[in-house]
């Protein structure tokens, strides 16, 4: 199984002298109690578990630098960890890597309320940043279901997409600067707060989405939009995916500049939300559900636009039923239907998760095809995701881990994706689980170049080993 752990690489083991060094550097923040280490050794999905004996909790960039300088000299492997909400086994150790947690690096450094540029430490929790900004009439340019736990540093190092990407674009555009500690402890201060800066190579892009394999992000500066004065959410039902696509096209045309999200999930997801989380479907049962959000500056204009759009899709029968929310509590309730699908799935047993980019008109074909392909082998085959970004979350459940089922899904799902020139990881990254499938989405020349960059920045390979790059490249 190419997603399983490879053999341990010949890194050093942590000695008493190493622990003494860490304890002097981080008094009270060098954790070795196995009970305290338990939750940092296992991923959120409880599918990957490491065996680290040391968790370090630095507060400053200088401390991170000293930790890495020591680890590099001693050939000790390090697993950087943010909120540990990743879905591909990238944020937990595979063996005994030292866990370097950003959880105490949680300070806002500056916020400029003219430019909207926020600079903060990597361990700030996304929801805390959102709350901080909302008090100042701004918002974060990204939002995702894991907001209550995930760290901005983890978001950036995985290039997390989320629910607002359609409107505000990817972190590759909104992140303006990064401070990164390199494997040997050097501090790379590229913490610019400029919208425009074409002076040489844009090095920060190397660290965005490289999952902590090239450096440890310690601070981020990010461009934040103004808080919209009016937010509306429409929750709609569609009887076919074709109609859902037509609704999307119509929506883009009629809501254009105020559209901030266009998300979907299928009827199987709704059943799981009802069954496991006791959530109620606010509209009549449909094969597909859509969550549309508008965010604009004029409530009257926005509502008028939204109502015209709804009238159009209802009268043309693209949409079978729907409900609209303008009030915060109801908006939250409608959003939680989409945001909590992942959580509902965890109650079904074991979940095989795929995060695929495809031409938008093909995304649900993969779900249907997979249902036919797997037949009775799977308990559920469900589809949900970001229609506006052409990003499908295909999830397949079985009562427990099932190697025969896995062999039926992979590499089939990757071959299917590659045939349509899609990406086998749209927004979750490759981590441990997907690393060896990179060739389905990237040519071998590109992967070899990634290997050269890794070798240049981290010659001993101590940073997040066994992740992102395939096993033939360290
Ligand atoms: C989402 O809900 O948008 C996610 O990224 C989670 C996807 C998953 O549960 O596979």
């Amino acid at each position: 199984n190419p997603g399983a752990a490879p053999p341990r690489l010949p890194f050093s083991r942590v000695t008493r002298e190493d622990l003494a060094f860490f304890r002097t550097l981080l008094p009270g923040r060098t954790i070795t109690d196995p009970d305290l280490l338990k939750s940092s050794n296992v991923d959120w999905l409880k599918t990957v578990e490491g065996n680290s004996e040391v968790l370090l909790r630095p507060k400053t960039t200088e401390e991170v630098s000293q930790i890495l300088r020591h680890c590099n000299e001693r050939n000790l492997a390090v697993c950087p960890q943010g909120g540990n909400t990743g879905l591909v086994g990238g944020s937990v150790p595979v063996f005994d890597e030292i866990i370097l947690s950003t959880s105490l690096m949680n300070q806002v450094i500056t916020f400029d309320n003219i430019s909207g540029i926020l600079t903060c430490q990597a361990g700030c929790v996304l929801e805390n940043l959102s709350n901080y900004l909302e008090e100042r009439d701004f918002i974060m340019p990204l939002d995702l279901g894991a907001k209550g736990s995930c760290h901005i540093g983890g978001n950036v190092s995985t290039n997390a997409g989320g629910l607002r990407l359609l409107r505000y674009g990817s972190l590759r555009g909104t992140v303006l600067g990064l401070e990164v500690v390199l494997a040997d402890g050097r501090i790379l201060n590229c913490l610019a707060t400029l919208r425009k800066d074409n002076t040489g190579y844009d090095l920060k892009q190397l660290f965005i989405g490289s999952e902590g394999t090239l450096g440890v992000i310690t601070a981020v500066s990010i461009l934040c939009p103004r808080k919209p004065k009016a937010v509306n959410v429409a929750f709609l039902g569609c009887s076919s995916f074709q109609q859902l696509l037509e609704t999307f096209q119509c929506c883009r045309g009629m809501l254009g500049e105020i559209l901030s999200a266009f998300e979907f999930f299928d009827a199987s997801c709704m059943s799981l939300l009802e069954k496991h989380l006791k959530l109620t479907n606010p509209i009549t049962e449909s094969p597909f559900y859509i969550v549309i959000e508008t965010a604009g500056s004029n409530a009257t204009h926005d509502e008028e636009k939204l109502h015209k759009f709804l009238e159009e899709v209802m009268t043309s029968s693209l949409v079978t039923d729907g409900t609209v929310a303008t009030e915060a509590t109801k908006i939250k309730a409608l959003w939680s239907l989409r945001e909590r699908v992942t959580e509902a799935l965890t109650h079904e047993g074991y979940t095989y998760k795929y995060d695929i980019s495809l031409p938008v008109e093909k995304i649900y074909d993969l779900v249907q095809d997979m249902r036919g392909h797997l037949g009775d082998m799977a308990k559920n085959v469900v589809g949900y995701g970001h229609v506006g970004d052409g990003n499908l979350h295909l999830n397949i459940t079985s009562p427990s881990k099932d190697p025969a089922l896995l062999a039926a899904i992979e590499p089939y799902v990757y071959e299917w994706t590659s045939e349509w020139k899609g990406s086998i990881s749209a927004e979750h990254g490759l981590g441990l689980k997907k690393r060896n499938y990179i060739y389905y989405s990237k040519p071998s020349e590109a992967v070899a170049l990634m290997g050269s960059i890794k070798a240049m920045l981290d010659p001993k390979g101590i940073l997040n080993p066994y992740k992102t790059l395939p096993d033939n490249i360290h």
Side-chain angles (χ1 to χ4, degrees):
N1 163 18
R8 185 183 182 280
L9 292 168
F11 295 110
S12 305
R13 309 241 175 213
V14 176
T15 61
R16 242 175 286 160
E17 288 74 25
D18 295 317
L19 284 179
F21 172 85
F22 294 135
R23 289 196 174 114
T24 310
L25 179 67
L26 308 166
R29 294 179 280 129
T30 300
I31 316 298
T32 52
D33 177 342
D35 286 341
L36 296 176
L37 271 154
K38 238 185 163 62
S39 62
S40 307
N41 261 314
V42 63
D43 68 329
W44 181 82
L45 290 167
K46 302 208 176 2
T47 54
V48 179
E49 189 163 3
N51 198 20
S52 176
E53 293 176 357
V54 192
L55 164 70
L56 303 177
R57 307 179 84 202
K59 285 184 177 166
T60 66
T61 303
E62 188 49 42
E63 288 174 350
V64 175
S65 161
Q66 294 209 37
I67 293 168
L68 291 187
R69 186 173 309 128
H70 179 86
C71 290
N72 194 52
E73 274 165 17
R74 283 270 304 116
N75 196 31
L76 288 165
V78 175
C79 173
Q81 187 175 83
N84 196 10
T85 59
L87 300 173
V88 289
S91 60
V92 284
V94 178
F95 297 100
D96 55 345
E97 300 91 282
I98 292 169
I99 304 171
L100 196 171
S101 163
T102 52
S103 57
L104 299 180
M105 303 183 72
N106 54 7
Q107 302 298 309
V108 169
I109 301 168
T110 56
F111 177 65
D112 179 333
N113 64 0
I114 298 176
S115 64
I117 298 169
L118 171 78
T119 303
C120 66
Q121 283 190 296
C124 291
V125 171
L126 181 59
E127 191 163 49
N128 294 346
L129 291 177
S130 295
N131 293 338
Y132 173 94
L133 288 168
E134 289 211 13
E135 284 166 20
R136 289 157 180 81
D137 236 1
F138 282 81
I139 59 169
M140 285 297 279
L142 81 158
D143 184 22
L144 48 144
K147 62 187 139 222
S149 312
C150 64
H151 295 184
I152 188 68
N155 296 148
V156 173
S157 66
T158 57
N159 191 23
L163 306 164
R164 286 186 187 150
L165 190 136
L166 168 76
R167 174 71 167 270
Y168 303 114
S170 105
L171 290 168
R172 295 198 181 280
T174 51
V175 170
L176 303 179
L178 289 181
E179 179 190 69
V180 179
V181 180
L182 302 178
D184 61 6
R186 269 177 298 165
I187 298 171
L188 188 68
N189 185 342
C190 291
L191 210 49
T193 49
L194 305 166
R195 294 223 48 188
K196 300 177 94 174
D197 178 15
N198 282 353
T199 50
Y201 303 149
D202 189 0
L203 294 179
K204 69 173 182 290
Q205 298 295 349
L206 276 180
F207 303 97
I208 302 177
S210 55
E211 303 179 86
T213 60
L214 299 179
V216 176
I217 294 174
T218 47
V220 173
S221 66
I222 187 163
L223 182 65
C224 303
R226 276 302 289 266
K227 183 179 167 182
K229 290 202 172 62
V231 176
N232 297 290
V233 169
F235 188 83
L236 310 176
C238 271
S239 44
S240 72
F241 198 74
Q242 185 50 39
Q243 290 180 330
L244 184 148
L245 287 174
E246 286 171 35
T247 306
F248 177 52
Q249 263 188 315
C250 176
C251 181
R252 277 205 146 159
M254 295 184 72
L255 298 176
E257 72 289 355
I258 61 166
L259 181 64
S260 55
F262 193 107
E263 297 283 316
F264 94 103
F265 59 89
D266 64 17
S268 310
C269 295
M270 183 61 96
S271 308
L272 298 177
L273 290 166
E274 292 171 329
K275 179 171 158 199
H276 298 298
L277 307 181
K278 309 283 172 246
L279 298 183
T280 352
N281 179 355
I283 61 174
T284 48
E285 254 178 53
S286 307
F288 296 95
Y289 299 93
I290 311 176
V291 181
I292 293 172
E293 186 189 75
T294 66
S297 56
N298 185 313
T300 321
H301 289 177
D302 293 2
E303 273 170 41
E304 192 185 312
K305 277 186 197 166
L306 182 62
H307 285 125
K308 277 212 173 107
F309 159 73
L310 291 173
E311 206 175 281
E312 172 71 28
V313 289
M314 292 278 197
T315 49
S316 58
S317 299
L318 286 179
V319 158
T320 46
D321 191 15
T323 179
V324 176
T326 49
E327 188 260 317
T329 328
K330 191 169 174 205
I331 287 179
K332 210 166 166 209
L334 292 180
W335 260 124
S336 69
L337 290 161
R338 164 64 185 87
E339 288 182 1
R340 296 183 70 189
V341 173
T342 301
E343 181 191 343
L345 280 156
T346 61
H347 296 274
E348 280 289 287
Y350 195 90
T351 310
Y352 294 96
K353 301 179 99 56
Y354 301 92
D355 164 41
I356 307 288
S357 268
L358 283 168
V360 67
E361 64 280 9
K362 297 300 301 177
I363 63 176
Y364 208 74
D365 289 356
L366 176 55
V367 181
Q368 273 158 339
D369 197 275
M370 191 55 88
R371 280 191 186 126
H373 176 70
L374 296 177
D376 293 341
M377 286 183 85
K379 195 169 166 196
N380 293 284
V381 178
V382 311
Y384 53 109
H386 317 285
V387 178
D389 312 328
N391 179 187
L392 169 75
H393 295 306
L394 165 69
N395 277 236
I396 299 161
T397 70
S398 63
S400 59
K401 228 171 159 172
D402 179 350
L405 175 60
L406 179 62
I409 306 170
E410 300 179 12
Y412 184 84
V413 63
Y414 299 129
E415 282 164 1
W416 204 105
T417 304
S418 170
E419 206 158 293
W420 291 99
K421 303 206 181 336
S423 169
I424 64 140
S425 175
E427 60 171 1
H428 293 169
L430 297 167
L432 173 74
K433 293 183 183 176
K434 314 272 165 93
R435 70 196 188 285
N436 284 320
Y437 295 109
I438 191 171
Y439 295 103
Y440 285 100
S441 290
K442 287 281 153 57
S444 53
E445 293 80 2
V447 181
L449 189 54
M450 291 181 203
S452 309
I453 294 170
K454 170 74 174 173
M456 180 188 68
L457 288 174
D458 180 16
K460 294 186 175 177
I462 62 161
L463 286 177
N464 222 6
Y466 325 107
K467 319 282 173 61
T468 313
L469 295 178
D471 288 345
N472 60 339
I473 292 179
H474 296 305

